[in-house]
Amino acid sequence: MEAALKNIQSKLESIFSHLHTYPEVSWQEYDTTAYIRQLFEPYDCHITTFDDSPGLVIEIGHGKPVIGLRADIDALWQEVDGEFTANHSCGHDAHMTIAIGTLMTLLETGCPAQGTFRFLFQPAEEKGTGALSFVDKGLVDDADFLYGMHLRPGEELGHEQFAPAIKHGAARFLKGTIRGDDAHGARPHLNANAIEIGAELIQHLNNIHINPMIPHSAKMTAFQADGGSTNIIPGNASFSLDLRAQTNAVMSELTEKIKQIAGMLANYHQVSIDLTTGADIAAAVIDGEAAAMMMDAIRTSAGPEKLRPTITTTGGDDFHFYTIKRPHLKAAMLAIGCDLSPGLHHPHMTFKQEIIPQAVRILTTALTQTAEKHADIR
């Protein structure tokens, strides 16, 4: 493996540079898809692309077990130095490079005698809908194991530290509208001010009490009620809510309380308040056997001194929909410590890129050891 990694080292640096330089937002990753495809067209592998979406699947080997490795390929849309642009501030450029490096290493060294390795380059993780689309395409129906990865901020893992699983929380994004009537600025008694209703909603969000032993939060992240005239009291508004909870049960409880608050405010102010769910990301369901395989791979490839316990984070990832929708699937995500700062989703996020070959080594080991240990699966 070391010789193979050395052979592709400069290639991986070039691949990361390209992916970082040309980010694409969710559901628009067509050039990224084409770029990854052309990398592997010269190799003996099976490549699948889709007519209805970006993303691709590359498969090598044969027979059981079927072991998947998923990499998310989309970038965020955010303001960077005063200009809105696509930006890889969540590390997906690194995730793609690591998956590409793992596949190239397997191709260079040869696959185990038994086992199929399926590489899922998945769109739209940031929207929370990409994994569901791949599930609906049947891409993991016959899979036995699925591995993923994510760079971790420095506050969670030190540089060159690795954890065998990431216990993500649930995330849910609600869009809301307030519908009433406008009124003249001199006659505030003739309507309900949508801005004041929004302020009340924020206050009630802060008054929600759920078991404090389970991390959770609800906050307003956008509010728009400006009609362009300063002498009109707005009766209409739109807003966004970001909900987080460490368990799916608490997310359900939190959502129900917010629906009750919206109903109460609508009734009191005689307006309509409608809530719709945008992205909806489930909390992690981690398989013990898959996490154990990843733990062994970290010990073998990086050394026991670099192994850390499972990471618990309030962030979310749609990776966990694979196991929720297909409960037979055994899955875990590698947590990668890489001196990431100032933090995930910061417009100027940076990390130490020398971690990429180390992560490739761990994941290649995890895939091959899983195949060898479970070669009797039929």
Side-chain angles (χ1 to χ4, degrees):
M1 184 193 305
E2 295 308 313
L5 273 172
K6 187 175 181 179
N7 287 340
I8 65 172
Q9 177 74 41
S10 61
K11 185 179 292 187
L12 291 182
E13 292 172 0
S14 175
I15 289 168
F16 175 81
S17 177
H18 176 93
L19 293 170
H20 182 77
T21 304
Y22 299 102
E24 294 178 295
V25 297
S26 301
W27 296 121
Q28 301 300 317
E29 310 97 322
Y30 291 103
D31 288 344
T32 302
T33 299
Y35 175 76
I36 297 172
R37 175 172 186 155
Q38 61 85 28
L39 287 175
F40 290 98
E41 285 176 339
Y43 291 93
D44 181 18
C45 54
H46 185 264
I47 303 173
T48 302
T49 54
F50 310 100
D51 293 334
D52 61 344
S53 78
L56 71 160
V57 176
I58 304 177
E59 193 170 288
I60 60 175
H62 64 277
K64 285 284 197 173
V66 176
I67 305 163
L69 179 63
R70 174 270 211 170
D72 31 21
I73 69 174
D74 55 330
L76 289 156
W77 181 258
Q78 64 184 154
E79 186 175 359
V80 182
D81 297 331
E83 179 181 353
F84 277 92
T85 183
N87 187 35
H88 273 304
S89 59
C90 199
H92 295 185
D93 45 0
H95 301 169
M96 287 185 277
T97 306
I98 292 167
I100 289 167
T102 302
L103 177 50
M104 286 182 172
T105 302
L106 287 171
L107 288 166
E108 289 272 344
T109 58
C111 297
Q114 187 76 18
T116 299
F117 299 94
R118 184 174 297 157
F119 289 77
L120 285 70
F121 294 94
Q122 176 212 299
E125 186 278 329
E126 297 294 353
K127 294 294 186 183
T129 51
L132 289 171
S133 75
F134 268 24
V135 170
D136 289 342
K137 293 179 188 300
L139 300 180
V140 295
D141 286 357
D142 63 341
D144 302 293
F145 288 83
L146 180 66
Y147 295 115
M149 76 207 83
H150 210 299
L151 306 185
R152 303 316 304 163
E155 62 189 5
E156 292 184 2
L157 276 181
H159 182 52
E160 296 186 326
Q161 295 178 349
F162 304 91
I166 306 173
K167 189 176 182 181
H168 283 103
R172 183 168 292 165
F173 309 122
L174 302 182
K175 293 287 188 180
T177 57
I178 300 169
R179 290 285 178 261
D181 297 314
D182 291 346
H184 193 285
R187 299 173 179 83
H189 61 292
L190 295 181
N191 83 331
N193 188 333
I195 297 174
E196 293 177 355
I197 296 172
E200 290 182 54
L201 176 57
I202 292 171
Q203 185 60 51
H204 284 291
L205 292 178
N206 293 334
N207 289 336
I208 292 175
H209 296 293
I210 298 175
N211 184 354
M213 299 301 292
I214 303 174
H216 60 275
S217 68
K219 56 273 181 196
M220 187 175 289
T221 54
F223 190 89
Q224 177 65 42
D226 180 17
S229 298
T230 57
N231 64 342
I232 292 177
I233 302 171
N236 302 302
S238 61
F239 59 90
S240 300
L241 302 178
D242 178 296
L243 281 56
R244 307 281 169 161
Q246 202 59 52
T247 68
N248 294 315
V250 168
M251 176 59 75
S252 296
E253 185 177 357
L254 186 61
T255 303
E256 183 57 33
K257 287 183 179 293
I258 291 171
K259 289 179 179 178
Q260 292 172 2
I261 291 168
M264 177 269 294
L265 290 174
N267 184 62
Y268 179 77
H269 290 288
Q270 294 299 291
V271 297
S272 66
I273 301 179
D274 297 315
L275 298 173
T276 59
T277 301
D280 189 9
I281 302 171
V285 177
I286 299 169
D287 178 77
E289 186 176 2
M293 295 299 303
M294 188 68 76
M295 188 181 301
D296 288 343
I298 295 169
R299 286 197 187 102
T300 301
S301 304
E305 73 280 0
K306 295 184 178 180
L307 175 64
R308 293 296 181 271
T310 293
I311 296 296
T312 298
T313 176
T314 52
D317 196 297
D318 75 348
F319 176 84
H320 306 294
F321 277 127
Y322 289 105
T323 48
I324 288 172
K325 296 296 184 179
R326 297 295 182 267
H328 73 277
L329 193 59
K330 299 177 180 181
M333 294 185 78
L334 173 67
I336 303 169
C338 52
D339 199 19
L340 187 153
S341 64
L344 292 167
H345 290 203
H346 189 282
H348 297 293
M349 183 275 280
T350 62
F351 70 98
K352 290 184 176 176
Q353 296 173 28
E354 58 263 33
I355 204 67
I356 289 174
Q358 297 186 53
V360 169
R361 187 181 295 110
I362 292 170
L363 286 167
T364 303
T365 301
L367 267 61
T368 55
Q369 288 185 348
T370 302
E372 291 163 358
K373 184 174 181 179
H374 298 87
D376 58 344
I377 292 178
R378 295 289 184 267

